[in-house]
Amino acid sequence: MRIGIIGAGHAGIEAAKAASEQGCDVVLFSAENVLPYYRPRLVALAFGQADLAAIQIKPQAWYDQQKISLRLDSRVLGLNPEKREITTSTGVDAFDGLVIACGGTPVMPSFAKKSGPLMTPLWDITHANAIRERIRRNARLVVVGGGILGIEAALHALEAGMSVIIIEKMSRLMPVQFGAKASSALLRRLEEKGVQVLLGRGVADSKEDSGVLKLQLETGEILEADLCLMSIGARPDLALAASACLPCERGIVVDHSLQTPVGSLAAAGDVIQFEGVTRCSMKEASAQGRLAALNLISRLRGLEERAYVPETIPLTFRSKDFEIYAIGETASQGSEEHLLDGSTETLIRALVMKDGIPVGVQMIGTREGFDTYATQVKKAQKK
Ligand SMILES: Cc1cc2nc3c(=O)[nH]c(=O)nc-3n(C[C@H](O)[C@H](O)[C@H](O)COP(=O)(O)OP(=O)(O)OC[C@H]3O[C@@H](n4cnc5c(N)ncnc54)[C@H](O)[C@@H]3O)c2cc1C
């Protein structure tokens, strides 16, 4: 059985491994020209704290041993679902089944799209290399977006000797994951490190002038930067799926076993929409990649398929003495937040309770007891 996998990210690699373990001939197509790498570690690569070899998922020898034919620099340009054929720049190839694992693309507002090299997202190796070339001590970095990726980039940039400003449109940091107290502790910790955070402000436009970027904020203020990192999220890359007329909403729509309505075509990772939801998670992409491939092969063999059961994955982030953790809900109507022993203005252990049951836990500056509470939150979610 010949299985083609489109995209060699976390979902694609696991799909390839699973298909190879099932004795299939596997071809893994990657649009990128380097061996597949841990995408979250791009931040360390971009700011000079890791090199490419250190962030590779597997060496070339592993693909050879697994009998996975890895085709680098091979973007799939066209897909014919009925014929199960794909087109690359080198020609047409046919398969018994295909797994689409193209991932996502960073959101770039229109002014950022027409901006020059001083404004960049951080989503792939070319972005990381472009940032790396511009790291200088005391260079001014503006990060647009105060989510976890923006915060991580800010910390790495500080370590590289840059001065950093984060611009966040919301009135506090990470409001989906953290309540007001935890958000404010997070802000204070960033400020203590030397990151300036501008809340409640967005960028309206940008201009490059003699090697300096002038960012015009919605308030009319102008901020000068030597580099600007746009970090305002990502969305599924639907270019290929749309060209093949696959059912797409926010992502490629898949069923309970991660198969598309078109026979012999599975999809996994950031590119999919499962039960109406799109996700951006390395762990989930890996789990989905494996199951999507196994179910595809089962379907082709006439065997039973397994349902995908998404797992709630906590936000866990630690960089030296900076650590933040969260899972579940923040306090809202019908629930209340309790600060646990040891909480201060910059160290937070907050538990969100609903009807006497923990439904959310957030910690800033410590992990003490987090795993125990997280288990209880997950249990409550399953009820
Ligand atoms: C800087 C950064 C930090 C992150 N940190 C975290 C974190 O801490 N924790 C976490 O859970 N997640 C994190 N994420 C998100 C995580 O990396 C993604 O959720 C995960 O990579 C999704 O895996 P995927 O396989 O679906 O897609 P991707 O890893 O995006 O891989 C998709 C691959 O498909 C290729 N491709 C696209 N179109 C084609 C085509 N037509 N033909 C061939 N190849 C194609 C792309 O080039 C890409 O290599 C981070 C992401 C970034 C960018």
Side-chain angles (χ1 to χ4, degrees):
M1 188 180 291
R2 194 156 192 263
I3 300 292
I5 295 165
I6 306 170
H10 297 283
I13 298 272
E14 284 301 319
K17 184 165 170 265
S20 150
E21 286 165 4
Q22 290 294 311
C24 302
D25 286 339
V26 185
V27 184
L28 177 56
F29 294 93
S30 174
E32 303 194 67
N33 63 2
V34 296
L35 284 175
Y37 52 85
Y38 287 99
R39 200 161 295 273
R41 299 219 55 211
L42 278 178
V43 187
L45 181 75
F47 291 98
Q49 286 121 17
D51 59 23
L52 187 54
I55 74 167
Q56 269 169 15
I57 298 177
K58 300 282 183 196
Q60 178 61 53
W62 180 83
Y63 299 92
D64 300 339
Q65 279 157 14
Q66 299 285 321
K67 298 196 171 58
I68 294 169
S69 170
L70 173 62
R71 311 245 176 107
L72 295 179
D73 212 359
S74 287
R75 178 174 289 277
V76 174
L77 303 168
L79 171 64
N80 183 329
E82 277 77 36
K83 290 187 177 167
R84 305 176 204 174
E85 283 178 356
I86 56 136
T87 310
T88 63
S89 55
T90 51
V92 175
D93 218 339
F95 294 90
D96 297 298
L98 286 158
V99 181
I100 306 176
C102 304
T105 51
V107 175
M108 292 288 275
S110 50
F111 70 83
K113 278 189 201 148
K114 59 181 168 57
S115 190
L118 298 187
M119 180 168 285
T120 177
L122 175 50
W123 203 259
D124 63 26
I125 212 84
T126 51
H127 303 139
N129 287 336
I131 292 171
R132 197 168 169 134
E133 272 174 26
R134 292 184 185 275
I135 301 172
R136 310 267 182 278
R137 286 204 83 74
N138 301 321
R140 298 160 297 178
L141 173 71
V142 170
V143 178
V144 181
I148 188 62
L149 201 157
I151 289 174
E152 186 178 5
L155 293 171
H156 279 271
L158 278 187
E159 211 175 302
M162 299 173 93
S163 77
V164 187
I165 298 178
I166 294 179
I167 302 179
E168 168 55 52
K169 216 167 176 159
M170 307 297 278
S171 57
R172 59 186 174 84
L173 289 169
M174 302 184 70
V176 175
Q177 294 88 353
F178 294 107
K181 289 197 184 80
S183 240
S184 120
L186 173 58
L187 173 66
R188 278 178 170 243
R189 283 192 169 248
L190 282 169
E191 287 174 342
E192 277 170 7
K193 292 256 164 224
V195 178
Q196 194 186 342
V197 183
L198 304 179
L199 293 172
R201 273 170 273 192
V203 180
D205 206 353
S206 72
K207 229 180 240 157
E208 210 176 303
D209 188 4
S210 315
V212 174
L213 203 55
K214 297 202 166 150
L215 298 166
Q216 191 195 325
L217 306 194
E218 284 158 355
T219 51
E221 294 161 273
I222 303 283
L223 265 188
E224 290 199 347
D226 299 302
L227 184 66
C228 175
L229 175 61
M230 287 301 299
S231 176
I232 56 171
R235 53 172 75 105
D237 181 349
L238 298 178
L240 189 64
S243 72
C245 298
L246 286 179
C248 296
E249 289 172 10
R250 278 178 300 148
I252 299 176
V253 177
V254 293
D255 66 12
H256 66 285
S257 60
L258 305 174
Q259 312 299 299
T260 73
V262 178
S264 318
L265 209 58
D270 284 7
V271 76
I272 68 164
Q273 177 178 321
F274 179 80
E275 292 177 342
V277 179
T278 57
R279 291 181 169 83
C280 183
S281 154
M282 182 180 84
K283 255 191 170 176
E284 283 202 66
S286 300
Q288 289 169 2
R290 181 167 183 81
L291 190 65
L294 290 176
N295 280 338
L296 173 69
I297 294 161
S298 293
R299 190 170 281 197
L300 292 168
R301 288 177 176 158
L303 301 174
E304 208 172 306
E305 295 161 33
R306 271 177 38 219
Y308 176 65
V309 182
E311 199 196 325
T312 308
I313 294 165
L315 165 77
T316 68
F317 174 74
R318 182 168 189 183
S319 172
K320 301 201 170 134
D321 61 340
F322 193 100
E323 47 186 326
I324 62 178
Y325 308 96
I327 188 168
E329 300 175 25
T330 57
S332 63
Q333 245 185 348
S335 64
E336 41 187 59
E337 184 180 273
H338 300 273
L339 289 186
L340 299 170
D341 289 351
S343 294
T344 64
E345 280 195 344
T346 52
L347 188 145
I348 295 286
R349 297 171 72 230
L351 197 57
V352 180
M353 304 288 289
K354 197 186 257 174
D355 304 327
I357 295 169
V359 292
V361 55
Q362 303 144 29
M363 295 200 183
I364 306 283
T366 177
R367 193 178 176 142
E368 198 195 326
F370 181 81
D371 295 338
T372 308
Y373 288 118
T375 307
Q376 294 174 14
V377 170
K378 283 190 195 177
K379 234 186 226 169
Q381 285 175 337
K382 281 187 187 144
K383 278 187 185 156

